[in-house]
Amino acid sequence: MNLSLQPAVQSDHEFLYRLHCTTMRDYIVPTWGWDDQAQRAAFDRRVSTNPHQVILLDGQRVGMLELEHHPTELFIANIQVLPEKQGRGIGSAIIREIVELAQSSDAVATLQVLEVNERARRLYERLGFRVVGAAPPHIRMRASRPPAGWH
């Protein structure tokens, strides 16, 4: 699997928005409801203020990562993978790299997940994340120790 990250540029914007709609709609609808205009406006604001990276698999766009660097924390603000590419270890590989990067710099990897997104929460738990708090509708998680079979 040839995975890489590249900074998102303007020409990635529509791909990123379609990815957001495809991967998040089923979780946003029961949480807040879906309004196309509001979703587009919120997405445009977020992309313009927070750096995003495009996840590439063999040179093809398959997902996105929004990672916030703080002095003692790497916060995975968002990670999304195209549905047809999910279940192949792409998200897991990216998250493992982030956890290793955090540990090598004496930081901790954290994230938050919507309470309704059980699938993502199970993935994060398999990758060694544990619940450390909740601010509904989100659950806050932190990487503990790498699970068995980490590599």
Side-chain angles (χ1 to χ4, degrees):
M1 182 165 47
N2 183 16
L3 277 178
S4 59
L5 295 171
Q6 72 179 22
V9 295
Q10 185 60 38
S11 61
D12 293 315
H13 195 84
E14 282 308 307
F15 166 78
L16 294 174
Y17 183 66
R18 286 191 315 275
L19 178 68
H20 165 77
C21 293
T22 302
T23 60
M24 296 305 296
R25 185 180 189 108
D26 289 347
Y27 306 108
I28 291 172
V29 167
T31 304
W32 296 288
W34 188 275
D35 175 274
D36 286 324
Q37 264 189 310
Q39 283 299 314
R40 175 57 102 163
F43 176 83
D44 289 346
R45 269 192 312 278
R46 188 169 187 107
V47 169
S48 70
T49 57
N50 298 336
H52 286 66
Q53 294 179 300
V54 176
I55 301 170
L56 301 171
L57 174 63
D58 298 325
Q60 300 294 327
R61 297 182 297 192
V62 297
M64 71 80 108
L65 172 67
E66 181 184 354
L67 183 64
E68 296 177 9
H69 295 261
H70 302 285
T72 60
E73 172 188 29
L74 289 180
F75 177 63
I76 304 168
N78 213 333
I79 184 167
Q80 299 169 359
V81 175
L82 289 169
E84 63 269 22
K85 301 295 183 182
Q86 292 176 7
R88 298 181 185 190
I90 296 167
S92 296
I94 299 292
I95 292 168
R96 283 184 179 116
E97 285 186 33
I98 294 166
V99 171
E100 289 174 3
L101 177 62
Q103 290 173 343
S104 71
S105 59
D106 292 324
V108 64
T110 62
L111 56 82
Q112 67 182 18
V113 61
L114 287 171
E115 293 170 325
V116 297
N117 194 343
E118 288 293 323
R119 182 176 184 209
R121 182 176 170 180
R122 285 191 306 271
L123 168 67
Y124 302 144
E125 288 171 344
R126 281 193 310 271
L127 293 173
F129 283 79
R130 298 295 170 251
V131 173
V132 294
H138 292 99
I139 296 169
R140 184 89 171 175
M141 301 182 83
R142 175 184 176 146
S144 52
R145 58 181 171 71
W150 181 254
H151 289 282

